[in-house]
Amino acid sequence: MPIRWDAPLARAVADELEEALGGGNLRAVRLDGAERDLFLLFRECTLIWRLHPSRGHVMLLPPAEPGPSDLRHAARVRRIAAPPDERVIRIELLPKRSGPPRDILVELMGNQWNAVVTEAESRVIRHVLWSRKGTRGLAVGRTYTPPSGQSRAGTDRSLPLEQWMDLLSDAAPDQRARVLIREVAWTSPLNAPALLACDVDGAEDERLREGHRRWRAVARGLGDPVLLQLEDGPHPYPMALPGRPGRKVPSLLGAFQEVAGSSDRTAKPSLLDPDLVRRLEEAVLRAGRRARQLEAELNTLEDGTALRAVGDLILARYREVPSGTDAAVLRDFNGGEQHVELDPKLTAHENAARYYDRAARVERAERRLPGLVDSAEKTAASLRRLLVRARAGEASPEEVETAIPARHASDGVKGTAKGSTLPYRTFRSSGGLEIRVGRGAKHNDDLTFRHSAPHDVWLHARHAAGAHVILRWDGPGNPPARDLAQAAALAALHSKARTSGSVPVDWTLRKYVRKPRGAPRGTVIPDRVSTLFVRPDPALEEALDAG
């Protein structure tokens, strides 16, 4: 069942995460938009938010190694908290290296659950789990706008009894829960009916006073975590609710783990790099296609015996075979007639030899294909079983890498030969963007034209031999100035101008870079060029090195 997040639950989960991860060492962030999963890879553990509308779970699992597609971000957790009466959890991060502080905001409103990585001061969005349009658009490069606050009474957990009574006494009993949800902080469709389900004896005023007492306990977070038993399944909550059966649990995080493990839809997610899982999925599809193609080839083979018989007939009746024709009708060995197709450019003996060659190929295929079909089907079945285990989090990265056929073990970019080294080194800007630096002049063309996308940023030191540099970018407009400057500094460092105090570096979108016909390797002509002046600082290279 999907989790019904409300402000008390968000606050309580934030408190538990603060206790578990405060001061923790973040290594990388993984945003799996396809599954709507956010992974925060700490040295101590892995924090996972499952933000698909059918889930909404948060889990702490063992630590995992960052993968090639993960956003490397060495930082320490400064604080984890939820704003009062909001369904947002903010994880504040302090970088261990250069760069600004970051915030990771997990939004838990309605069915629009999302995760956003922003710069703490400017609030510029650096990464987003899934982009949204509209007045409050969430997209890389835009300024983050918090959800509009509800401004309900009692946000500071203080609501006078008189105001509570005024709100509810004039409302019809069946409308009071709706009034609470609209007007009073810390209430929700999950807890409002329980606040009003008073079983005390006495006048109605006494029952409303009891409801106010219960609200104060909810607003202050008083109580022990429980696993409620709702109509559609178990549900973690920070305190018991009158009229809602449930049992106490040691922690909310443990309760989430229990609920997630009880449903196939919300089972423990794989800690494997999503790109590695997708490569395995592609290998499964290829193996299946290979098995089907081989089986189809086996089932559509010609009749080798019949082909050899035609060759025998042509040789036996070669005097009756007309030259320069594409067919002939010959008497067969039983006295009947047989239509025989011929190549008009060949003699009768050559046509017979051609039939014998076809028969020999069929016979070889009949001996070879059954074994290939069997081997391909076993490979496909083995990869399918491994994929099931990988999705269930039961396979290691090494096991998956080993199982994927070697010819597909590159990064999936056209032009990467089997077993070859990528033509670039990878770095991560302080903003988390990938920077690819060519491994020398002979690899520049490969990097620029085979390992980049049209909207990536291309950089090169002006009037100096050196590496082409690609800053991966798919956002609107230009990339952030800091990330662009760091990519330019790497271009300067990997050029013959590296010892200069200030180096001009040209940059433009990759789609504006062309290679003249017949030009030497690494020679290109960029259009719509802008120029940055940067200092080639060797310390920056070490700070941004992604391994």
Side-chain angles (χ1 to χ4, degrees):
M1 61 166 285
I3 297 300
R4 305 179 198 176
W5 283 90
D6 62 6
L9 180 58
R11 177 187 59 194
V13 168
D15 290 344
E16 285 198 10
L17 290 175
E18 167 69 16
E19 183 176 354
L21 297 174
N25 299 291
L26 180 68
R27 302 176 66 192
V29 177
R30 178 182 301 167
L31 298 163
D32 187 350
E35 292 294 328
R36 302 279 181 89
D37 287 342
L38 167 69
F39 293 72
L40 301 181
L41 283 70
F42 291 89
R43 292 195 182 279
E44 302 84 2
C45 63
T46 302
L47 173 62
I48 302 174
W49 287 91
R50 311 217 71 187
L51 296 171
H52 190 278
S54 67
R55 295 188 281 266
H57 294 80
V58 56
M59 289 175 279
L60 284 178
L61 296 182
E65 285 297 316
S69 64
D70 293 336
L71 305 170
R72 301 285 182 130
H73 187 62
R76 182 175 58 82
V77 175
R78 178 174 177 267
R79 188 176 65 152
I80 302 177
D85 196 33
E86 293 290 347
R87 288 170 289 172
V88 176
I89 295 179
R90 182 189 301 270
I91 303 172
E92 300 177 9
L93 301 172
L94 291 175
K96 290 187 174 181
R97 299 173 180 171
S98 60
R102 293 290 175 83
D103 287 341
I104 299 175
L105 298 117
V106 181
E107 299 187 345
L108 300 160
M109 295 82 67
N111 62 351
Q112 302 293 316
W113 298 335
N114 211 337
V116 182
V117 182
T118 70
E119 289 194 3
E121 295 179 2
S122 67
R123 298 194 301 179
V124 172
I125 297 174
R126 289 302 195 169
H127 309 284
V128 62
L129 185 60
W130 60 284
S131 298
R132 288 181 54 195
K133 298 180 180 179
T135 55
R136 191 177 162 268
L138 298 177
V140 173
R142 296 190 61 171
T143 299
Y144 176 76
T145 303
S148 55
Q150 300 179 67
S151 301
R152 299 188 296 179
T155 299
D156 61 355
R157 299 181 290 185
S158 174
L159 179 67
L161 176 60
E162 294 77 10
Q163 187 175 352
W164 175 275
M165 300 292 286
D166 288 343
L167 283 171
L168 298 179
S169 9
D170 292 337
D174 61 350
Q175 294 297 311
R176 287 172 177 168
R178 185 173 299 178
V179 171
L180 280 184
I181 296 167
R182 184 179 67 247
E183 302 289 343
V184 179
W186 306 104
T187 62
S188 69
L190 185 59
N191 64 29
L195 299 179
L196 297 169
C198 295
D199 53 3
V200 299
D201 296 330
E204 184 166 319
D205 283 358
E206 185 60 31
R207 291 195 292 272
L208 291 180
R209 288 190 183 92
E210 174 62 18
H212 181 260
R213 188 191 66 77
R214 293 177 178 181
W215 173 83
R216 290 178 61 193
V218 170
R220 286 166 169 74
L222 303 178
D224 297 319
V226 296
L227 194 56
L228 299 175
Q229 295 301 322
L230 304 183
E231 296 80 4
D232 46 4
H235 190 291
Y237 205 67
M239 72 280 294
L241 295 176
R244 300 272 196 190
R247 60 179 171 86
K248 289 184 180 182
V249 291
S251 69
L252 286 172
L253 294 175
F256 273 106
Q257 197 105 347
E258 181 179 337
V259 172
S262 67
S263 169
D264 290 340
R265 289 189 309 158
T266 56
K268 182 179 72 173
S270 170
L271 294 179
L272 292 176
D273 184 344
D275 281 355
L276 184 59
V277 176
R278 292 186 187 109
R279 284 172 50 206
L280 178 56
E281 291 170 343
E282 292 169 1
V284 169
L285 293 175
R286 286 192 295 267
R289 285 197 299 268
R290 170 70 172 162
R292 292 191 296 272
Q293 290 167 353
L294 289 170
E295 187 171 8
E297 184 180 348
L298 178 60
N299 293 335
T300 56
L301 286 176
E302 297 180 280
D303 186 337
T305 302
L307 291 171
R308 195 171 293 280
V310 173
D312 292 343
L313 182 61
I314 292 174
L315 290 181
R317 304 283 190 258
Y318 75 94
R319 294 182 183 279
E320 302 172 19
V321 177
S323 59
T325 184
D326 58 5
V329 178
L330 304 177
R331 287 182 300 107
D332 62 21
F333 300 115
N334 297 319
E337 293 183 340
Q338 183 171 345
H339 179 84
V340 177
E341 294 182 356
L342 302 168
D343 185 336
K345 298 178 183 179
L346 302 180
T347 65
H349 287 82
E350 290 170 335
N351 271 296
R354 195 171 202 178
Y355 273 98
Y356 290 141
D357 287 343
R358 285 169 61 185
R361 287 197 296 272
V362 169
E363 291 162 357
R364 289 194 297 271
E366 287 175 338
R367 293 191 298 268
R368 177 177 56 91
L369 284 176
L372 292 177
V373 170
D374 182 64
S375 176
E377 288 176 343
K378 288 180 178 177
T379 297
S382 175
L383 289 172
R384 283 194 295 269
R385 289 192 297 270
L386 179 59
L387 180 58
V388 170
R389 293 177 53 234
R391 287 171 172 166
E394 299 171 357
S396 68
E398 295 76 18
E399 185 179 5
V400 175
E401 284 283 7
T402 301
I404 296 176
R407 62 180 176 277
H408 304 302
S410 70
D411 66 350
V413 182
K414 182 179 178 181
T416 301
K418 175 181 177 181
S420 65
T421 301
L422 289 173
Y424 58 84
R425 284 181 58 193
T426 301
F427 298 83
R428 287 281 176 190
S429 72
S430 59
L433 300 183
E434 181 181 350
I435 304 172
R436 295 178 174 179
V437 177
R439 294 182 182 272
K442 66 179 182 179
H443 294 295
N444 280 339
D445 286 351
D446 201 12
L447 168 61
T448 296
F449 298 109
R450 294 179 182 271
H451 292 265
S452 65
H455 287 88
D456 289 346
V457 175
W458 177 91
L459 305 97
H460 189 271
R462 177 186 286 187
H463 305 317
H468 291 190
V469 173
I470 294 293
L471 174 64
R472 303 304 305 276
W473 177 248
D474 59 0
N478 295 328
R482 183 185 295 106
D483 304 76
L484 188 60
Q486 290 173 348
L490 289 176
L493 275 168
H494 290 264
S495 75
K496 290 192 174 180
R498 66 178 65 89
T499 58
S500 302
S502 179
V503 178
V505 175
D506 292 338
W507 69 273
T508 185
L509 295 185
R510 153 60 190 86
K511 64 182 179 180
Y512 300 133
V513 179
R514 60 188 177 88
K515 184 172 182 64
R517 181 175 298 178
R521 285 188 305 180
T523 301
V524 297
I525 298 178
D527 293 324
R528 307 189 189 188
V529 172
S530 300
T531 304
L532 285 173
F533 286 84
V534 296
R535 183 172 64 90
D537 181 7
L540 178 67
E541 181 176 29
E542 182 179 352
L544 302 183
D545 193 357

